[in-house]
Amino acid sequence: MRKMLTAGVIAALLGPSIAVAQGDPLAPTGRWSANMAGRASTPPMGWSTWNAFATDIDEDKILGSARQIVDSGLAAKGYRYINIDDGWALKRRMPDGRMIIRDDKFPSSRVGGDAPSFKPFTEKLHAMGLKAGIYSDLGRNTCSEAHSPTDTDLPKGTVLEREVGLYGRIDQDIALYFKDWGFDFIKVDGCGLRDYAPQSERVRSGKFRALGPFLDSSEVMRTNIAAIQAMFRQINVALTRENPDGDYLLSLCVWGAANVRAWGKDYGAISRTSDDISPAWGRLLVNYDTTVTRPLYAHPGSWNDPDMLHIGAGDFDADHLTEARSHFALWAVLNAPLMIGTDLRKTPQALLDVFGNADIIALNQDPAGNQATLAHDSSDVQILVKTLASGDKAVAIFNRGSGDYDVDLSASHLKFSQDAPIELVDLWSKQVSTFTKRTRLHVKPRETLIFRAHGKHALQGGYYLSEQPGSVNPAVDGVLYPTPDPSIFRTGAGWGGTGGAGDRPSYAGWGGARADSAPYGQLLQIAGQRFTAGIGILANSRLEVRNHGAQRFTTLVGVDDSASDKASDVTFAVYGDGKLLATSKATKWGMPAQSISVPVAGVKLIELVARSPRGDNQRLPVTWGEAALLER
């Protein structure tokens, strides 16, 4: 690193100028823009009704699982949220629009007065030291109303009375749920914006009013992203108003549609990156793949959500402990919310032990908030590495396939020194081993080995930005036209069976910011110079970087060799707390990397801008090679 700094062209400090137009999204703001509202400094943990019971819910089932959370010791390990999913609403009372609870299923809600109340129920959970969560939808109607095979557990009454979603009622409903009923968490689905088109059978039958569609799960360009974002903004305003202590969580559940994998981080505490999970290995791969390449889009306060844990059923039941352990270990290092979805009243001890592995929970709840990054990526085996607040690393070796593998884990995967011993602690067996440079590990089919690693960092006196994705936010990632991500694993049957054309890429986010990778998955490279560490992003982008006391920022910048736009200029700029610190010379594809080194002592927020006035963003990947913050 030091050789690079002295040999390269040191960018001018204080004095360079770049014209910034009013309203320019690349203009530095001096502030962190990803969501910080609510209580999600670490990924939320808890239990939800949906996977175990769907809409067939009642007070006994929920409180029974809540008591098991406490009695089993899981609550003491961080599982706090007890979330009611779809199925609780009887109707919306007209003409005042108040939501009415199915009090036959929740008898404690019968408190007298003019309507049942969830207040006694939430007070019971709070008295147990737990938090309470509730469910709604962005539209007028919910997912169960669109897809349930029977109407047994669905809202009753007239067309208007069965409109139990938030649409047109956001302020009224959020006040009821949080101020009056005392909930702490809300999951907001999106079926009401997708499944009630004028031409749909359910609307033509006269049972529902048409709405939209605003959202199309299969094609992002047929989705009104701005309208969906506006609704979530209104929800956030209402949540802030009704929770002055800030003790709440918003879960965005539009299943990876509407390009939410790019912007969910700015609107809520957790954001679904995929459609619903099911208890099948192929479905785990789908949901996992929607999250694993997106560590720069998750931070303390805003987490990627590949859906709830489905441990306890199908491929993840007690007869499939290898798969159950993989599910848990992967969700932990991805910083996914750890939301149990099984009937805990009937869960065998072997699975309770999986949920309760304190060492793996600690990785998920590590305060640094760094989602694991891919150190090795193939169709069969992946190595994920997560930097912890202590400087240790978590490492997960994931065998996706059906054959055994001998995997070489190297110091370079961990960004540790090649010539110093590395200690590995197996977080399932608790066995300790030591290696130098590399070690070979055997991984069985569908197995995930998971370790805590301690060693000497390769970059002494600092860290690469790609080691700290929780402190790097792609405020503007350069993506102008959301594009389906072709790298997502697709199941053979999908959700519609094999009668149709099969699954097609539908989750947008292709070309977003990547850690240690170019935006489209290639290795980072500028004019033939390869970088094992760095940030890949498209041109006309702005990265926000939190500085935790470093004295100097260094990097090598240029147009990545993967660019197909080989004619456009790019200029790189570094800002500190909104003030310009340094710029590069204009550079094009094929030109050597330029070095930037600037002091950042006392700077709280660094912003990295790559600007190309005439460039085609999505054909112009750029590289912040070896971008690092140093102690001196």
Side-chain angles (χ1 to χ4, degrees):
M1 174 67 73
R2 294 188 182 283
K3 270 181 145 184
M4 176 272 289
L5 293 177
T6 55
V9 177
I10 304 301
L13 309 180
L14 305 179
S17 61
I18 289 183
V20 175
Q22 188 172 9
D24 179 0
L26 303 185
T29 66
R31 65 178 184 84
W32 180 262
S33 62
N35 181 69
M36 291 296 294
R39 296 286 173 87
S41 58
T42 58
M45 299 171 63
W47 177 87
S48 174
T49 60
W50 184 256
N51 288 347
F53 304 116
T55 56
D56 184 20
I57 56 176
D58 61 45
E59 194 162 353
D60 286 343
K61 291 175 180 176
I62 298 169
L63 291 179
S65 287
R67 282 190 288 270
Q68 180 65 358
I69 284 268
V70 174
D71 294 344
S72 66
L74 291 175
K77 293 180 178 179
Y79 294 93
R80 301 172 62 215
Y81 287 91
I82 305 297
N83 296 335
I84 305 172
D85 212 289
D86 204 353
W88 64 267
L90 176 64
K91 65 179 182 180
R92 188 179 291 280
R93 186 176 67 188
M94 303 306 291
D96 67 351
R98 181 185 173 92
M99 290 293 294
I100 302 298
I101 301 162
R102 295 175 63 195
D103 62 1
D104 60 325
K105 298 293 186 179
F106 295 90
S108 70
S109 67
R110 298 168 180 157
V111 293
D114 67 343
S117 171
F118 263 132
K119 187 68 171 174
F121 174 81
T122 62
E123 286 179 341
K124 287 180 184 180
L125 292 176
H126 292 155
M128 298 165 70
L130 302 171
K131 298 285 189 179
I134 198 168
Y135 167 95
S136 191
D137 193 285
L138 281 174
R140 295 191 185 108
N141 300 94
T142 67
C143 287
S144 64
E145 290 182 277
H147 299 290
S148 178
T150 73
D151 63 358
T152 303
D153 304 318
L154 302 186
K156 302 297 188 288
T158 66
V159 169
L160 295 181
E161 287 174 328
R162 286 183 283 106
E163 292 181 347
V164 296
L166 291 172
Y167 191 82
R169 303 276 188 176
I170 289 174
D171 292 343
Q172 178 182 6
D173 287 356
I174 294 297
L176 178 66
Y177 301 159
F178 286 85
K179 182 179 180 181
D180 296 346
W181 287 352
F183 281 98
D184 312 288
F185 176 112
I186 186 167
K187 173 185 170 182
V188 180
D189 240 334
C191 292
L193 300 184
R194 179 189 66 183
D195 298 320
Y196 297 88
Q199 67 272 25
S200 67
E201 187 280 330
R202 60 185 61 88
V203 171
R204 286 189 289 108
S205 71
K207 294 180 180 179
F208 301 95
R209 287 197 289 169
L211 182 63
F214 295 101
L215 190 153
D216 188 323
S217 294
S218 63
E219 178 47 64
V220 67
M221 298 310 289
R222 293 194 295 261
T223 291
N224 190 336
I225 296 173
I228 295 168
Q229 291 175 327
M231 294 177 204
F232 278 119
R233 273 195 294 272
Q234 187 179 349
I235 291 170
N236 273 313
V237 169
L239 285 168
T240 301
R241 180 176 60 246
E242 304 303 341
N243 296 274
D245 61 353
D247 189 3
Y248 67 89
L249 289 179
L250 170 61
S251 169
L252 283 65
C253 187
V254 290
W255 334 282
N259 198 35
V260 72
R261 291 202 303 155
W263 54 262
K265 65 182 176 63
D266 302 324
Y267 288 80
I270 58 178
S271 176
R272 278 281 290 280
T273 57
S274 64
D275 210 328
D276 291 359
I277 196 168
S278 66
W281 183 253
R283 196 66 209 172
L284 174 139
L285 294 178
V286 174
N287 291 40
Y288 161 86
D289 281 347
T290 63
T291 298
V292 70
T293 61
R294 311 289 287 182
L296 292 170
Y297 294 81
H299 318 92
S302 56
W303 307 105
N304 289 321
D305 178 16
D307 202 7
M308 295 169 280
L309 296 165
H310 222 315
I311 295 168
D315 286 348
F316 311 106
D317 64 13
D319 294 326
H320 299 84
L321 277 179
T322 295
E323 290 84 353
R325 286 177 168 182
S326 278
H327 191 354
F328 190 71
L330 293 171
W331 262 230
V333 297
L334 291 178
N335 283 0
L338 299 181
M339 293 291 178
I340 298 169
T342 190
D343 185 350
L344 285 172
R345 302 170 303 170
K346 303 174 182 177
T347 301
Q349 188 61 46
L351 294 182
L352 292 176
D353 291 343
V354 172
F355 293 131
N357 187 310
D359 291 328
I360 297 178
I361 291 171
L363 304 183
N364 179 263
Q365 297 292 296
D366 185 79
N370 297 313
Q371 179 179 316
T373 61
L374 281 168
H376 173 85
D377 188 14
S378 73
S379 296
D380 299 312
V381 175
Q382 291 172 312
I383 300 174
L384 296 92
V385 177
K386 170 182 164 72
T387 304
L388 305 175
S390 65
D392 285 354
K393 303 291 180 89
V395 55
I397 304 173
F398 177 32
N399 183 350
R400 301 168 60 104
S402 57
D404 288 44
Y405 277 92
D406 289 321
V407 175
D408 289 322
L409 175 67
S410 69
S412 60
H413 286 135
L414 302 169
K415 293 185 172 62
F416 279 167
S417 172
Q418 298 277 349
D419 55 8
I422 297 169
E423 180 185 87
L424 291 180
V425 180
D426 187 314
L427 300 186
W428 290 118
S429 71
K430 314 307 178 187
Q431 292 182 344
V432 180
S433 60
T434 303
F435 74 94
T436 302
K437 195 170 184 178
R438 77 168 43 86
T439 186
R440 176 158 289 189
L441 299 162
H442 187 75
V443 194
K444 297 176 183 177
R446 297 185 174 183
E447 183 178 28
T448 301
L449 304 180
I450 185 164
F451 304 94
R452 189 177 183 114
H454 179 77
K456 179 182 177 183
H457 284 246
L459 180 62
Q460 288 294 291
Y463 59 84
Y464 295 113
L465 297 192
S466 59
E467 294 181 275
Q468 299 280 344
S471 293
V472 182
N473 176 41
V476 181
D477 64 9
V479 176
L480 296 177
Y481 309 104
T483 304
D485 187 341
S487 67
I488 305 302
F489 182 88
R490 291 175 283 150
T491 59
W495 287 108
T498 55
D503 280 354
R504 292 292 186 266
S506 59
Y507 305 112
W510 185 232
R514 297 279 298 267
D516 297 337
S517 169
Y520 300 112
Q522 294 90 344
L523 296 173
L524 295 172
Q525 186 168 292
I526 302 173
Q529 183 177 359
R530 181 71 56 82
F531 299 98
T532 58
I535 303 292
I537 195 167
L538 298 178
N540 291 312
S541 56
R542 178 169 59 86
L543 293 161
E544 299 166 352
V545 181
R546 281 178 162 151
N547 182 16
H548 304 290
Q551 302 293 299
R552 182 166 290 275
F553 171 75
T554 63
T555 187
L556 283 160
V557 296
V559 175
D560 193 84
D561 285 358
S562 64
S564 58
D565 179 349
K566 299 182 178 181
S568 299
D569 291 335
V570 179
T571 301
F572 295 80
V574 179
Y575 296 84
D577 292 333
K579 298 178 181 178
L580 183 62
L581 302 180
T583 63
S584 73
K585 295 179 181 178
T587 187
K588 294 181 180 179
W589 182 89
M591 295 176 64
Q594 298 179 47
S595 67
I596 296 176
S597 176
V598 291
V600 291
V603 171
K604 294 181 179 179
L605 189 80
I606 300 164
E607 291 171 89
L608 310 179
V609 174
R611 186 184 295 272
S612 180
R614 291 172 297 280
D616 180 347
N617 295 14
Q618 297 189 216
R619 297 177 56 234
L620 196 54
V622 300
T623 288
W624 296 86
E626 296 183 2
L629 284 167
L630 306 176
E631 294 174 359
R632 55 188 174 84

